[in-house]
Amino acid sequence: MRVEALTRADWRRASQVRGLLADVHGATPQDAVFLAPGTLAGLRLVFASLGVRRVVLSRDEYFDRRAFPAARVDLVRPEALVSRVVRHRPDAVVLSAVTWRGRRIALEACFREIRTRLGAAAPVLVADVSHGGAAGFPRVLATRADIVLGDVGKWITPPDWSDRLGFLWFRAGRLRILARRAFAPFYLAGTRPGRSLEARWVDPEAVARIVEWCRSRKVTRRKLLARHETDMVLARLVAERCGVRAPSTALVWLESAAAARKVPAWVEDAGLVWRPPSGG
């Protein structure tokens, strides 16, 4: 039947996306990776399954208290995050490898210290690598996280694409087992079709579009790292032109309107400028 053929094609493309994540982020094995219509949707599903009631976020996260309405959420400076976690023992910690303002966070060191000081009582440690492309696409194991999440196409596909396809990788153990159960009812979320009917979840067209883009450009980690070097050259050029400190990532954050007015017009024309509602 035509529907069955389309279904097989959807699952094949989802597998190709996991292959891309394995190459770019080292997200293996494939059954440790789950797809979601967005990182927050997937993470809230997992937190609900875990019964998470207290979350610690750095103040530099894209998420804020609204992201987790069923939990008590503490927002702390990255420098104070470890001491807050050790003192208050939350259920989960979410920390970005690169913040949306372009700041690189030493989350590996943070997570290592939390595990050392709390041992088996350590919370679930979540690394957000959505902007990891700005720092050379960190590999999931290097983050020392229990869960790694990110946007599949961000820093790979064109910046003006509106497709939203998130992924979550789980370290081996109880969390990976829990994830299989949590994502089991959702179409294309896991690595294999279920035997029962599945609920609509990720957009198959978004999956297909990303697969086709990467296939046509022969995207590999090596090519992305080469492009990252070019991105860093551009970031330094923009920072110098705007009179701000040289960036540590390929994201340049401009706080003042005066600095923003110095951004070259061709950078804006290329769709490389984003202005958040809060300013900057």
Side-chain angles (χ1 to χ4, degrees):
M1 293 177 62
R2 184 171 181 272
V3 172
E4 292 173 346
L6 289 173
T7 299
R8 286 194 297 270
D10 287 345
W11 282 100
R12 184 177 64 253
R13 293 188 190 104
S15 179
Q16 291 171 325
V17 165
R18 291 185 175 85
L20 171 70
L21 295 171
D23 178 39
V24 174
H25 287 293
T28 58
Q30 285 205 10
D31 65 357
V33 178
F34 298 84
L35 302 181
T39 55
L40 181 57
L43 189 58
R44 283 176 62 165
L45 176 67
V46 173
F47 278 6
S49 299
L50 286 170
V52 168
R53 289 292 176 266
R54 186 164 189 174
V55 182
V56 169
L57 307 175
S58 85
R59 290 180 179 173
D60 291 342
E61 298 305 307
Y62 188 84
F63 300 140
D64 58 19
R65 290 187 174 91
R66 298 173 301 167
F68 307 106
R72 175 178 174 180
V73 178
D74 295 332
L75 301 176
V76 302
R77 292 180 297 104
E79 297 80 7
L81 186 138
V82 172
S83 59
R84 176 67 67 91
V85 170
V86 171
R87 187 166 62 251
H88 293 288
R89 309 289 181 93
D91 300 310
V93 176
V94 182
L95 193 59
S96 288
V98 178
T99 73
W100 59 278
R101 288 187 176 92
R103 180 183 179 185
R104 188 163 190 171
I105 303 294
L107 55 79
E108 303 93 334
C110 287
F111 288 173
R112 185 189 305 114
E113 185 173 355
I114 290 170
R115 290 187 194 283
T116 299
R117 295 176 66 175
L118 293 182
V124 175
L125 303 176
V126 182
D128 186 342
V129 298
S130 294
H131 281 299
F137 297 94
R139 294 188 177 275
V140 294
L141 286 177
T143 66
R144 297 182 178 270
D146 297 305
I147 303 172
V148 178
L149 56 86
D151 285 315
V152 174
K154 191 167 284 185
W155 292 92
I156 298 177
T157 55
D160 60 346
W161 276 25
S162 60
D163 289 338
R164 291 294 177 263
L165 183 63
F167 77 91
L168 295 91
W169 173 91
F170 294 81
R171 187 178 293 277
R174 69 178 185 90
L175 283 176
R176 191 177 295 177
I177 294 170
L178 179 144
R180 288 178 187 141
R181 295 172 180 166
F183 287 96
F186 299 107
Y187 187 57
L188 302 183
T191 56
R192 61 183 63 87
R195 295 185 177 181
S196 58
L197 298 176
E198 294 167 317
R200 182 179 295 274
W201 183 239
V202 300
D203 182 357
E205 291 187 5
V207 176
R209 192 178 187 206
I210 289 172
V211 166
E212 175 56 27
W213 168 269
C214 293
R215 185 200 61 77
S216 65
R217 270 73 178 178
K218 296 181 172 60
V219 171
T220 64
R221 177 177 174 85
R222 179 178 294 183
K223 286 186 176 181
L224 291 173
L225 292 179
R227 192 177 72 183
H228 171 65
E229 294 301 318
T230 304
D231 289 343
M232 288 301 303
V233 171
L234 174 59
R236 295 186 189 107
L237 184 152
V238 170
E240 182 179 2
R241 182 75 61 87
C242 297
V244 299
R245 183 183 304 175
S248 60
T249 72
L251 271 172
V252 180
W253 173 250
L254 302 175
E255 192 74 41
S256 71
R261 284 195 293 270
K262 297 177 183 178
V263 174
W266 60 266
V267 175
E268 183 129 22
D269 292 342
L272 299 177
V273 177
W274 176 67
R275 291 180 173 81
S278 57

